[in-house]
Amino acid sequence: MTPIVLIPGLVCTAELFGPQLPALWTRGPVTVASHVGGDSMAAIAEDILANAPPRFALAGLSMGGYIAFEILRRAPERVERLALLDTSARPDTPEQTEKRRGLLSRLDSEAFEAVIEPVLRGLPAPAHREDEALFQTNLRMAQAVGVDGFRRQVRAIIGRADSRPDLSSISIPTLVLVGDQDALTPPDIAREMAEAIPNARLSIIPDSGHVSTLEQPDAVTAALLEWLDA
């Protein structure tokens, strides 16, 4: 049984993978990595590697995918399988960086919840944006990460590398998964990765936005199990 390391997204905790954990544990011991301590991808990746099993299957959602690419650059021999969920291999555009810096600037004068709530509201597919239970889950995770953790994570995201040049060298079984209505990292971005990674499998989840593990938990769980069993 292969150990499994999961990396959540920005202002997310282990709760992001809550629906998947019981099934994943049938395939191997699961660790949900902490990614709140460093303010660079390098620092976060090194911390995760220091606490991870010698070899493992690696899955990351959104920011977790950015970190997964950094882990692959640093210790490719330790990663047996890779799952990239609702993420991108591209670096930030200038416009994205400007928007992120704007959020950080607002934190100097506004409450964290006031800054983060519109961000969280825009993550799911339009049909799920009025789902109060889903919003409360996302808000609860953000509050657990906290304002200082959010600042560190945003700085790490801004400074991340362009991972597209590394895609063709990925030779392990890889799943690229995305919600069909993901506005942040849309299906075209996922398709770009899947076409560049040799023998990668692309899974587009219907009726889902950027938080696919919570919006369509059964479909995501099935895709992850198939990835682990392949």
PDB file of all heavy atoms in Angstrom, residues 93-114:
ATOM      1  N   THR A  93       0.215  35.713 -13.857  1.00  0.00           N
ATOM      2  CA  THR A  93       0.295  36.828 -14.787  1.00  0.00           C
ATOM      3  C   THR A  93       0.459  38.119 -13.980  1.00  0.00           C
ATOM      4  O   THR A  93       0.166  38.155 -12.781  1.00  0.00           O
ATOM      5  CB  THR A  93      -0.981  36.936 -15.623  1.00  0.00           C
ATOM      6  OG1 THR A  93      -2.080  37.252 -14.760  1.00  0.00           O
ATOM      7  CG2 THR A  93      -1.264  35.628 -16.363  1.00  0.00           C
ATOM      8  N   PRO A  94       0.929  39.185 -14.592  1.00  0.00           N
ATOM      9  CA  PRO A  94       1.012  40.462 -13.867  1.00  0.00           C
ATOM     10  C   PRO A  94      -0.322  40.890 -13.276  1.00  0.00           C
ATOM     11  O   PRO A  94      -0.371  41.440 -12.164  1.00  0.00           O
ATOM     12  CB  PRO A  94       1.502  41.442 -14.936  1.00  0.00           C
ATOM     13  CG  PRO A  94       2.269  40.595 -15.905  1.00  0.00           C
ATOM     14  CD  PRO A  94       1.534  39.281 -15.936  1.00  0.00           C
ATOM     15  N   GLU A  95      -1.401  40.609 -14.002  1.00  0.00           N
ATOM     16  CA  GLU A  95      -2.725  40.987 -13.505  1.00  0.00           C
ATOM     17  C   GLU A  95      -3.097  40.186 -12.266  1.00  0.00           C
ATOM     18  O   GLU A  95      -3.675  40.721 -11.305  1.00  0.00           O
ATOM     19  CB  GLU A  95      -3.771  40.772 -14.604  1.00  0.00           C
ATOM     20  CG  GLU A  95      -3.633  41.680 -15.805  1.00  0.00           C
ATOM     21  CD  GLU A  95      -2.508  41.281 -16.746  1.00  0.00           C
ATOM     22  OE1 GLU A  95      -2.019  40.124 -16.643  1.00  0.00           O
ATOM     23  OE2 GLU A  95      -2.116  42.117 -17.580  1.00  0.00           O
ATOM     24  N   GLN A  96      -2.788  38.892 -12.267  1.00  0.00           N
ATOM     25  CA  GLN A  96      -3.071  38.070 -11.090  1.00  0.00           C
ATOM     26  C   GLN A  96      -2.256  38.526  -9.886  1.00  0.00           C
ATOM     27  O   GLN A  96      -2.772  38.608  -8.776  1.00  0.00           O
ATOM     28  CB  GLN A  96      -2.768  36.597 -11.414  1.00  0.00           C
ATOM     29  CG  GLN A  96      -3.764  35.963 -12.358  1.00  0.00           C
ATOM     30  CD  GLN A  96      -3.322  34.582 -12.818  1.00  0.00           C
ATOM     31  OE1 GLN A  96      -2.129  34.338 -13.041  1.00  0.00           O
ATOM     32  NE2 GLN A  96      -4.272  33.670 -12.961  1.00  0.00           N
ATOM     33  N   THR A  97      -0.988  38.823 -10.119  1.00  0.00           N
ATOM     34  CA  THR A  97      -0.146  39.294  -9.025  1.00  0.00           C
ATOM     35  C   THR A  97      -0.668  40.603  -8.457  1.00  0.00           C
ATOM     36  O   THR A  97      -0.713  40.790  -7.232  1.00  0.00           O
ATOM     37  CB  THR A  97       1.307  39.476  -9.509  1.00  0.00           C
ATOM     38  OG1 THR A  97       1.837  38.197  -9.851  1.00  0.00           O
ATOM     39  CG2 THR A  97       2.171  40.095  -8.423  1.00  0.00           C
ATOM     40  N   GLU A  98      -1.081  41.503  -9.328  1.00  0.00           N
ATOM     41  CA  GLU A  98      -1.624  42.785  -8.868  1.00  0.00           C
ATOM     42  C   GLU A  98      -2.871  42.572  -8.011  1.00  0.00           C
ATOM     43  O   GLU A  98      -3.049  43.217  -6.971  1.00  0.00           O
ATOM     44  CB  GLU A  98      -1.940  43.675 -10.062  1.00  0.00           C
ATOM     45  CG  GLU A  98      -2.470  45.057  -9.675  1.00  0.00           C
ATOM     46  CD  GLU A  98      -2.755  45.931 -10.878  1.00  0.00           C
ATOM     47  OE1 GLU A  98      -2.581  45.462 -12.017  1.00  0.00           O
ATOM     48  OE2 GLU A  98      -3.162  47.091 -10.672  1.00  0.00           O
ATOM     49  N   LYS A  99      -3.718  41.655  -8.448  1.00  0.00           N
ATOM     50  CA  LYS A  99      -4.936  41.375  -7.681  1.00  0.00           C
ATOM     51  C   LYS A  99      -4.599  40.773  -6.319  1.00  0.00           C
ATOM     52  O   LYS A  99      -5.196  41.144  -5.301  1.00  0.00           O
ATOM     53  CB  LYS A  99      -5.841  40.419  -8.471  1.00  0.00           C
ATOM     54  CG  LYS A  99      -7.171  40.139  -7.812  1.00  0.00           C
ATOM     55  CD  LYS A  99      -8.035  39.211  -8.661  1.00  0.00           C
ATOM     56  CE  LYS A  99      -8.457  39.883  -9.942  1.00  0.00           C
ATOM     57  NZ  LYS A  99      -9.426  39.048 -10.710  1.00  0.00           N
ATOM     58  N   ARG A 100      -3.635  39.878  -6.274  1.00  0.00           N
ATOM     59  CA  ARG A 100      -3.244  39.267  -4.998  1.00  0.00           C
ATOM     60  C   ARG A 100      -2.643  40.316  -4.065  1.00  0.00           C
ATOM     61  O   ARG A 100      -2.935  40.336  -2.860  1.00  0.00           O
ATOM     62  CB  ARG A 100      -2.238  38.138  -5.240  1.00  0.00           C
ATOM     63  CG  ARG A 100      -2.783  36.956  -6.023  1.00  0.00           C
ATOM     64  CD  ARG A 100      -1.787  35.816  -6.039  1.00  0.00           C
ATOM     65  NE  ARG A 100      -1.944  34.941  -7.167  1.00  0.00           N
ATOM     66  CZ  ARG A 100      -2.853  33.964  -7.272  1.00  0.00           C
ATOM     67  NH1 ARG A 100      -3.717  33.779  -6.298  1.00  0.00           N
ATOM     68  NH2 ARG A 100      -2.912  33.194  -8.353  1.00  0.00           N
ATOM     69  N   ARG A 101      -1.794  41.168  -4.601  1.00  0.00           N
ATOM     70  CA  ARG A 101      -1.205  42.216  -3.761  1.00  0.00           C
ATOM     71  C   ARG A 101      -2.275  43.171  -3.250  1.00  0.00           C
ATOM     72  O   ARG A 101      -2.174  43.707  -2.141  1.00  0.00           O
ATOM     73  CB  ARG A 101      -0.134  42.977  -4.545  1.00  0.00           C
ATOM     74  CG  ARG A 101       1.088  42.131  -4.876  1.00  0.00           C
ATOM     75  CD  ARG A 101       2.257  42.988  -5.340  1.00  0.00           C
ATOM     76  NE  ARG A 101       3.363  42.193  -5.844  1.00  0.00           N
ATOM     77  CZ  ARG A 101       4.238  41.553  -5.083  1.00  0.00           C
ATOM     78  NH1 ARG A 101       4.129  41.619  -3.763  1.00  0.00           N
ATOM     79  NH2 ARG A 101       5.222  40.853  -5.623  1.00  0.00           N
ATOM     80  N   GLY A 102      -3.310  43.376  -4.041  1.00  0.00           N
ATOM     81  CA  GLY A 102      -4.423  44.201  -3.593  1.00  0.00           C
ATOM     82  C   GLY A 102      -5.131  43.604  -2.390  1.00  0.00           C
ATOM     83  O   GLY A 102      -5.514  44.326  -1.457  1.00  0.00           O
ATOM     84  N   LEU A 103      -5.302  42.294  -2.395  1.00  0.00           N
ATOM     85  CA  LEU A 103      -5.913  41.627  -1.241  1.00  0.00           C
ATOM     86  C   LEU A 103      -5.051  41.802   0.001  1.00  0.00           C
ATOM     87  O   LEU A 103      -5.559  42.089   1.088  1.00  0.00           O
ATOM     88  CB  LEU A 103      -6.116  40.140  -1.537  1.00  0.00           C
ATOM     89  CG  LEU A 103      -7.174  39.764  -2.578  1.00  0.00           C
ATOM     90  CD1 LEU A 103      -7.153  38.264  -2.831  1.00  0.00           C
ATOM     91  CD2 LEU A 103      -8.560  40.205  -2.140  1.00  0.00           C
ATOM     92  N   LEU A 104      -3.740  41.621  -0.149  1.00  0.00           N
ATOM     93  CA  LEU A 104      -2.844  41.785   0.992  1.00  0.00           C
ATOM     94  C   LEU A 104      -2.881  43.209   1.517  1.00  0.00           C
ATOM     95  O   LEU A 104      -2.856  43.437   2.729  1.00  0.00           O
ATOM     96  CB  LEU A 104      -1.413  41.400   0.593  1.00  0.00           C
ATOM     97  CG  LEU A 104      -1.176  39.937   0.214  1.00  0.00           C
ATOM     98  CD1 LEU A 104       0.304  39.710  -0.092  1.00  0.00           C
ATOM     99  CD2 LEU A 104      -1.641  38.992   1.307  1.00  0.00           C
ATOM    100  N   SER A 105      -2.959  44.161   0.618  1.00  0.00           N
ATOM    101  CA  SER A 105      -3.011  45.566   1.039  1.00  0.00           C
ATOM    102  C   SER A 105      -4.285  45.857   1.818  1.00  0.00           C
ATOM    103  O   SER A 105      -4.263  46.604   2.816  1.00  0.00           O
ATOM    104  CB  SER A 105      -2.920  46.474  -0.191  1.00  0.00           C
ATOM    105  OG  SER A 105      -3.006  47.829   0.181  1.00  0.00           O
ATOM    106  N   ARG A 106      -5.384  45.282   1.407  1.00  0.00           N
ATOM    107  CA  ARG A 106      -6.655  45.515   2.105  1.00  0.00           C
ATOM    108  C   ARG A 106      -6.620  45.003   3.535  1.00  0.00           C
ATOM    109  O   ARG A 106      -7.312  45.531   4.410  1.00  0.00           O
ATOM    110  CB  ARG A 106      -7.796  44.854   1.335  1.00  0.00           C
ATOM    111  CG  ARG A 106      -8.164  45.544   0.040  1.00  0.00           C
ATOM    112  CD  ARG A 106      -9.257  44.785  -0.687  1.00  0.00           C
ATOM    113  NE  ARG A 106     -10.441  44.624   0.155  1.00  0.00           N
ATOM    114  CZ  ARG A 106     -11.436  43.777  -0.119  1.00  0.00           C
ATOM    115  NH1 ARG A 106     -11.374  43.008  -1.194  1.00  0.00           N
ATOM    116  NH2 ARG A 106     -12.473  43.682   0.680  1.00  0.00           N
ATOM    117  N   LEU A 107      -5.809  43.978   3.780  1.00  0.00           N
ATOM    118  CA  LEU A 107      -5.737  43.414   5.129  1.00  0.00           C
ATOM    119  C   LEU A 107      -5.164  44.394   6.142  1.00  0.00           C
ATOM    120  O   LEU A 107      -5.321  44.200   7.347  1.00  0.00           O
ATOM    121  CB  LEU A 107      -4.892  42.138   5.117  1.00  0.00           C
ATOM    122  CG  LEU A 107      -5.514  40.936   4.400  1.00  0.00           C
ATOM    123  CD1 LEU A 107      -4.505  39.820   4.274  1.00  0.00           C
ATOM    124  CD2 LEU A 107      -6.767  40.463   5.124  1.00  0.00           C
ATOM    125  N   ASP A 108      -4.521  45.450   5.669  1.00  0.00           N
ATOM    126  CA  ASP A 108      -3.972  46.451   6.580  1.00  0.00           C
ATOM    127  C   ASP A 108      -5.063  47.289   7.228  1.00  0.00           C
ATOM    128  O   ASP A 108      -4.847  47.882   8.288  1.00  0.00           O
ATOM    129  CB  ASP A 108      -2.998  47.378   5.840  1.00  0.00           C
ATOM    130  CG  ASP A 108      -1.760  46.642   5.349  1.00  0.00           C
ATOM    131  OD1 ASP A 108      -1.410  45.616   5.960  1.00  0.00           O
ATOM    132  OD2 ASP A 108      -1.167  47.100   4.351  1.00  0.00           O
ATOM    133  N   SER A 109      -6.233  47.311   6.594  1.00  0.00           N
ATOM    134  CA  SER A 109      -7.300  48.169   7.115  1.00  0.00           C
ATOM    135  C   SER A 109      -8.654  47.485   7.246  1.00  0.00           C
ATOM    136  O   SER A 109      -9.591  48.061   7.792  1.00  0.00           O
ATOM    137  CB  SER A 109      -7.462  49.403   6.215  1.00  0.00           C
ATOM    138  OG  SER A 109      -7.768  49.009   4.879  1.00  0.00           O
ATOM    139  N   GLU A 110      -8.761  46.254   6.742  1.00  0.00           N
ATOM    140  CA  GLU A 110     -10.042  45.543   6.779  1.00  0.00           C
ATOM    141  C   GLU A 110      -9.892  44.206   7.487  1.00  0.00           C
ATOM    142  O   GLU A 110      -8.805  43.627   7.531  1.00  0.00           O
ATOM    143  CB  GLU A 110     -10.564  45.307   5.359  1.00  0.00           C
ATOM    144  CG  GLU A 110     -10.834  46.563   4.559  1.00  0.00           C
ATOM    145  CD  GLU A 110     -11.348  46.249   3.168  1.00  0.00           C
ATOM    146  OE1 GLU A 110     -12.290  45.431   3.057  1.00  0.00           O
ATOM    147  OE2 GLU A 110     -10.802  46.808   2.196  1.00  0.00           O
ATOM    148  N   ALA A 111     -11.006  43.709   7.996  1.00  0.00           N
ATOM    149  CA  ALA A 111     -11.024  42.407   8.654  1.00  0.00           C
ATOM    150  C   ALA A 111     -10.778  41.300   7.629  1.00  0.00           C
ATOM    151  O   ALA A 111     -11.188  41.407   6.461  1.00  0.00           O
ATOM    152  CB  ALA A 111     -12.355  42.176   9.349  1.00  0.00           C
ATOM    153  N   PHE A 112     -10.111  40.254   8.068  1.00  0.00           N
ATOM    154  CA  PHE A 112      -9.788  39.130   7.187  1.00  0.00           C
ATOM    155  C   PHE A 112     -11.041  38.565   6.534  1.00  0.00           C
ATOM    156  O   PHE A 112     -11.069  38.300   5.327  1.00  0.00           O
ATOM    157  CB  PHE A 112      -9.062  38.061   7.994  1.00  0.00           C
ATOM    158  CG  PHE A 112      -8.689  36.829   7.206  1.00  0.00           C
ATOM    159  CD1 PHE A 112      -8.073  36.924   5.966  1.00  0.00           C
ATOM    160  CD2 PHE A 112      -8.942  35.563   7.715  1.00  0.00           C
ATOM    161  CE1 PHE A 112      -7.713  35.795   5.244  1.00  0.00           C
ATOM    162  CE2 PHE A 112      -8.587  34.428   7.014  1.00  0.00           C
ATOM    163  CZ  PHE A 112      -7.975  34.544   5.773  1.00  0.00           C
ATOM    164  N   GLU A 113     -12.108  38.366   7.312  1.00  0.00           N
ATOM    165  CA  GLU A 113     -13.337  37.778   6.767  1.00  0.00           C
ATOM    166  C   GLU A 113     -13.925  38.644   5.660  1.00  0.00           C
ATOM    167  O   GLU A 113     -14.444  38.136   4.668  1.00  0.00           O
ATOM    168  CB  GLU A 113     -14.362  37.550   7.877  1.00  0.00           C
ATOM    169  CG  GLU A 113     -14.058  36.377   8.794  1.00  0.00           C
ATOM    170  CD  GLU A 113     -12.953  36.685   9.806  1.00  0.00           C
ATOM    171  OE1 GLU A 113     -12.525  37.863   9.893  1.00  0.00           O
ATOM    172  OE2 GLU A 113     -12.502  35.746  10.501  1.00  0.00           O
ATOM    173  N   ALA A 114     -13.841  39.974   5.815  1.00  0.00           N
ATOM    174  CA  ALA A 114     -14.384  40.867   4.794  1.00  0.00           C
ATOM    175  C   ALA A 114     -13.596  40.767   3.497  1.00  0.00           C
ATOM    176  O   ALA A 114     -14.157  40.902   2.399  1.00  0.00           O
ATOM    177  CB  ALA A 114     -14.371  42.307   5.304  1.00  0.00           C
TER     178      ALA A 114
END
